[in-house]
Amino acid sequence: MGDVAVGARSGHDGEEHRGHPGGQDVPVPDGAVNSGDGRADGDEGTPEGEPRAGTAAPVTGARGPRQSRSFWKELPILVGIALVLALLIKTFLVQAFSIPSDSMQNTLQQGDRVLVDKFTPWFGSEPERGEVVVFHDPDNWLAGEPTPTPNPVQKVLSWIGLMPSAEEKDLIKRVIGVGGDTVECKNSGPLKVNGKPLDEPYVYPGNTPCSVDDQGGQFTVKVPKGYIWVMGDHRQNSRDSRYNQSDKNHGMVPVDKVVGRAIVKAWPINRWGTLPVPDTFDQPGLDRQSSAAASLTAAPQGLAAAAVLPVALWRRRRRNDREVTVTGGTSAGEL
């Protein structure tokens, strides 16, 4: 019998068997059986690395299933991201503070945790009457007060904003007067702002709105622009603006010392609640003095502009008629 050429299919579609037209059956020698390794007896002549007849060529470059990263390897990354986010939130948005004293009772109790809005001041918002604000010590108001020594864990938690910082000397009080206001206390009260008496239901039960003493409880002050006048709700147990009138700011708190407004009592959970501005600060006429002062400030500017405009137009027309060119700046006496 003549030699029979048995070709091996390469696995490429459309390629013909070597020595035979494509699609023609290839005879198999009698007695050929499949071996355990998937190779038919009689295929010994197939070179190594060449695909055998009837098998597909191996696919090269294919990747196996991607192995998921271990949870313990991802945990440090997740913790790092959480710390960065917490630090950003503390710096620009909200920070937690602890109440260390009784000066704001009963609005705030010692040990309460409040959340302070630090976001709105970035857009130029300034403290308003009735708000409870946290501020840096303006001029040694906390002299003689003990400073707690935090442990390493507390330092880390305070650094990321989950605990108040023991190193920063901050206070929390209620804003009573803002720039331009006149605040006064006579006898036991009521407390007056711009001549309007305040109804203060937030004052600690049993306290009078004004303290009758010769250390600062009786006063009449004018709040300068860029400052606020603050008082504690526990009037007879609060070292606030009244009792710091001998400092360099005369008891006022510079606005740039304000950290932000306390908006929520967050802890303990049974004391959770918001800290809204009391209705007494919305009474009609409370802003009258400030508005009048603003009008007086704006009026001269408006009158000046009205008087100057015709003169400026007349001078411009004269200059154009004479075709005079002025170089090197504006000469003395010109607008």
Side-chain angles (χ1 to χ4, degrees):
M1 180 184 291
D3 293 336
V4 177
V6 180
R9 188 180 179 96
S10 67
H12 297 287
D13 293 337
E15 185 180 353
E16 296 180 352
H17 293 286
R18 295 190 185 106
H20 293 277
Q24 185 175 346
D25 292 337
V26 180
V28 179
D30 294 339
V33 295
N34 239 349
S35 64
D37 59 359
R39 182 173 58 188
D41 293 345
D43 282 350
E44 289 85 351
T46 304
E48 287 190 16
E50 287 286 333
R52 293 180 297 277
T55 63
V59 180
T60 59
R63 297 180 180 176
R66 185 173 180 180
Q67 188 175 6
S68 60
R69 183 177 296 181
S70 169
F71 169 76
W72 297 109
K73 291 181 179 179
E74 291 185 346
L75 183 60
I77 299 175
L78 296 176
V79 171
I81 293 174
L83 290 176
V84 171
L85 290 176
L87 182 60
L88 290 174
I89 291 172
K90 167 199 170 183
T91 304
F92 300 106
L93 300 179
V94 176
Q95 185 174 357
F97 285 85
S98 175
I99 306 304
S101 70
D102 297 328
S103 67
M104 283 296 294
Q105 285 183 322
N106 274 336
T107 303
L108 298 173
Q109 301 285 357
Q110 187 174 165
D112 283 356
R113 301 290 195 276
V114 297
L115 298 182
V116 174
D117 168 25
K118 302 175 68 175
F119 183 67
T120 51
W122 288 93
F123 294 91
S125 174
E126 294 190 356
E128 298 182 1
R129 302 183 199 95
E131 294 180 345
V132 176
V133 297
V134 172
F135 54 94
H136 298 312
D137 190 338
D139 188 27
N140 213 23
W141 285 20
L142 294 175
E145 293 291 334
T147 302
T149 304
N151 58 43
V153 175
Q154 291 173 330
K155 287 182 178 180
V156 173
L157 292 176
S158 66
W159 182 72
I160 62 177
L162 298 180
M163 282 190 66
S165 173
E167 298 176 358
E168 295 180 357
K169 295 184 176 181
D170 298 320
L171 301 96
I172 185 167
K173 306 290 180 188
R174 189 180 298 277
V175 179
I176 300 299
V178 297
D181 286 346
T182 297
V183 185
E184 61 179 321
C185 257
K186 292 183 178 179
N187 302 317
S188 60
L191 176 66
K192 293 183 179 180
V193 176
N194 297 330
K196 294 290 183 178
L198 299 182
D199 177 20
E200 300 183 282
Y202 47 80
V203 170
Y204 184 75
N207 279 193
T208 55
C210 297
S211 300
V212 181
D213 57 49
D214 56 359
Q215 300 173 359
Q218 302 289 292
F219 61 88
T220 299
V221 295
K222 175 82 171 181
V223 184
K225 295 294 184 182
Y227 292 83
I228 56 176
W229 179 269
V230 298
M231 297 173 67
D233 290 353
H234 198 336
R235 291 291 158 82
Q236 274 76 61
N237 189 21
S238 176
R239 185 171 177 79
D240 45 42
S241 289
R242 299 170 293 172
Y243 301 107
N244 289 282
Q245 296 185 60
S246 60
D247 72 1
K248 65 180 182 181
N249 301 310
H250 306 292
M252 313 292 175
V253 178
V255 170
D256 58 12
K257 291 283 188 180
V258 176
V259 176
R261 175 188 173 186
I263 52 176
V264 171
K265 292 178 289 186
W267 191 261
I269 195 66
N270 63 332
R271 285 187 48 76
W272 190 94
T274 59
L275 294 168
V277 173
D279 293 339
T280 187
F281 292 96
D282 294 329
Q283 62 176 297
L286 197 62
D287 285 324
R288 183 172 56 191
Q289 183 168 329
S290 298
S291 300
S295 301
L296 290 174
T297 303
Q301 295 177 353
L303 291 174
V308 165
L309 186 59
V311 178
L313 294 174
W314 175 74
R315 289 176 66 87
R316 182 183 294 274
R317 179 170 293 181
R318 282 192 63 189
R319 185 166 58 240
N320 291 338
D321 291 341
R322 295 179 181 180
E323 297 181 351
V324 176
T325 302
V326 180
T327 62
T330 303
S331 60
E334 291 191 357
L335 296 174

